[in-house]
């Protein structure tokens, strides 16, 4: 069997187009131009790439893109001061601080300083609390992207066995909450899980969000299962070059899975499209407008 490849780029392009049209409608009807402020601290090359693609995509969907760069030596107080100014600025509807931050800055304090209504990444504890109690609020971008991709394959996720490998606050945990809301039966695995391959083989859908290159092997996956690979790992290729691989051994797993996301070109582009969607939703919520109608 060779798996169907879930084309995250194409699905993200469809979602972005729908978001761009909805932004135009909101701007024309209400004079509101949704604005996303992206903050980068320091010169981490991977972060620079992520930030560039986020700001380019913001402009491409007709939203206002603001970019703030602080030096690697910036103090926590400087960053908190910038966030407070962005919190108070009514033309800024979403604030994203690119992680990781330099060691002198407490990441938790920074996340908690972002006004929850502008927390388009969905990392604030209040946002996490709303999600875990099933109340409406912003849904973190990567877990939302994973759900949208899985639903492209399955339509409904109700009753399916979903295995989430990884329990971080930004991917694994919120993804598990969303799967519960979709009525899947959810198993969350992590570094202390016993016999992980066996646990993984339970999944009708397996989500890998681990940060370990190609950890999920072909014999970890049930025949015909859907595999969503969140991982982004840079590995050396031996000729002095490097390439990006996921948490899934793609070639092996594609032989047994029914559907699989590639890396790159799977969850990554969809995450950015979901960030645009979240910014538009945040702009609507801040202006007491109904949630926009958008399709993926
Ligand atoms: P974290 O490092 O925060 O969490 C990793 C999780 O994986 C932890 O829960 C950890 O378990 C678990 N884990 C680590 N090693 C193993 C192992 N050997 N066996 C089983 N479980 C293990 O990572 P993130 O959640 O932030 O990110 C995960 C991956 O997703 C990374 O590659 C990251 O780059 C990528 N990512 C991609 C995004 C995208 O847009 N495509 C967005 C965000 C992240 P424990 O809790 O027990 O330590």
């Amino acid at each position: 069997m060779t798996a169907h490849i879930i084309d995250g780029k194409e699905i993200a392009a469809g979602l972005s187009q729908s978001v761009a049209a909805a932004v135009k409608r909101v701007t024309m009807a209400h004079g509101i131009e949704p604005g996303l402020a992206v903050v980068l601290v320091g010169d981490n090359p991977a972060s620079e790439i992520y930030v560039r693609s986020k700001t380019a995509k913001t402009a491409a969907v007709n939203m206002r893109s603001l970019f703030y760069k602080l030096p690697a030596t910036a103090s926590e107080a400087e960053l908190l001061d910038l966030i407070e100014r962005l919190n108070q600025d009514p033309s800024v509807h979403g604030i994203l601080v690119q992680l990781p931050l330099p060691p002198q800055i407490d990441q938790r304090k920074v996340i908690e300083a972002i006004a929850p209504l502008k927390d388009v990444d969905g990392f604030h504890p209040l946002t996490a609390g709303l999600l875990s109690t099933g109340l409406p609020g912003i849904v973190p971008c990567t877990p939302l992207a994973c759900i949208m991709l899985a639903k492209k394959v399955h339509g409904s996720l109700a009753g399916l066995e979903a295995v989430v490998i990884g329990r971080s606050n930004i991917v694994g945990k919120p993804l598990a909450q969303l799967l519960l809301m979709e009525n899947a039966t959810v198993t969350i695995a992590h570094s202390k899980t016993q016999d992980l391959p066996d646990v993984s083989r339970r999944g009708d859908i397996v989500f890998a969000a681990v940060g370990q290159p190609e950890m999920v092997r072909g014999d970890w996956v049930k025949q015909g299962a859907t595999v969503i690979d969140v991982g982004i790992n840079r590995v050396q290729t031996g000729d002095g070059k490097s390439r990006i691989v996921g948490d899934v051994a793609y070639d092996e797993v594609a032989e047994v899975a029914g559907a699989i996301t590639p890396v790159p070109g799977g969850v990554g582009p969809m995450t950015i499209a979901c960030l645009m969607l979240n910014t538009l939703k945040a702009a609507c919520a801040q202006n007491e407008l109904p949630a926009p109608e958008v399709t993926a």
Side-chain angles (χ1 to χ4, degrees):
M1 176 174 198
T2 305
H4 160 70
I5 298 168
I6 307 168
D7 188 341
K9 263 192 186 167
E10 192 183 303
I11 300 167
L15 176 59
S16 298
Q17 219 171 30
S18 180
V19 169
V23 170
K24 264 196 180 156
R25 289 196 297 274
V26 166
T27 304
M28 282 175 63
H30 306 283
I32 296 157
E33 189 187 5
L36 173 65
V38 174
V39 181
L40 176 65
V41 187
D43 309 296
N44 179 321
S47 293
E48 299 250 11
I49 293 170
Y50 294 143
V51 160
R52 253 202 308 276
S53 58
K54 285 169 187 170
T55 49
K57 184 55 87 179
T58 308
V61 297
N62 309 318
M63 299 199 292
R64 210 158 75 91
S65 171
L66 297 102
F67 175 56
Y68 297 85
K69 182 161 180 183
L70 299 183
T73 52
S75 68
E76 187 176 281
E78 277 174 85
L79 178 56
L80 292 176
D81 184 57
L82 171 60
I83 290 172
E84 190 44 33
R85 276 187 282 130
L86 297 172
N87 282 342
Q88 299 301 333
D89 183 343
S91 73
V92 171
H93 303 96
I95 303 169
L96 182 148
V97 178
Q98 185 65 44
L99 303 177
L101 293 167
Q104 74 276 15
I105 299 178
D106 181 343
Q107 185 170 302
R108 192 182 52 82
K109 268 195 200 163
V110 170
I111 289 171
E112 289 179 10
I114 297 171
L117 279 177
K118 298 190 178 187
D119 170 35
V120 283
D121 249 342
F123 296 165
H124 194 286
L126 190 83
T127 315
L130 291 173
L131 182 66
S132 70
T133 48
L135 292 170
I138 287 170
V139 175
C141 307
T142 301
L144 178 59
C146 290
I147 294 288
M148 285 181 166
L149 292 172
K151 284 174 98 170
K152 279 280 171 192
V153 179
H154 294 273
S156 165
L157 308 183
L160 296 179
E161 289 277 349
V163 176
V164 179
I165 312 177
R167 57 173 166 181
S168 72
N169 287 334
I170 64 170
V171 189
K173 277 186 210 158
L175 175 55
Q177 300 288 358
L178 288 174
L179 286 163
L180 284 177
M181 285 162 73
E182 295 289 338
N183 295 316
T185 301
V186 186
T187 301
I188 308 173
H190 45 78
S191 66
K192 307 292 185 292
T193 296
Q194 307 243 319
D195 200 354
L196 186 50
D198 204 40
V199 171
S200 171
R201 276 190 293 272
R202 284 186 213 157
D204 299 310
I205 315 183
V206 177
F207 298 87
V210 188
Q212 301 285 342
E214 303 182 319
M215 188 183 84
V216 176
R217 312 303 310 190
D219 63 354
W220 291 33
V221 172
K222 179 165 78 177
Q223 190 84 34
T226 296
V227 177
I228 308 284
D229 189 352
V230 181
I232 302 176
N233 308 288
R234 184 168 287 282
V235 292
Q236 301 305 316
T237 50
D239 52 2
K241 295 189 179 142
S242 64
R243 68 187 178 103
I244 299 289
V245 299
D247 291 340
V248 173
Y250 182 87
D251 291 342
E252 277 179 29
V253 173
E255 288 300 310
V256 276
I260 186 168
T261 57
V263 176
V267 174
M270 204 50 193
T271 292
I272 297 185
C274 288
L275 173 65
M276 300 305 121
L277 175 60
N278 278 354
T279 305
L280 172 60
K281 282 184 176 168
C284 290
Q286 284 159 46
N287 289 281
E288 291 173 2
L289 299 175
E293 282 188 24
V294 166
T295 48

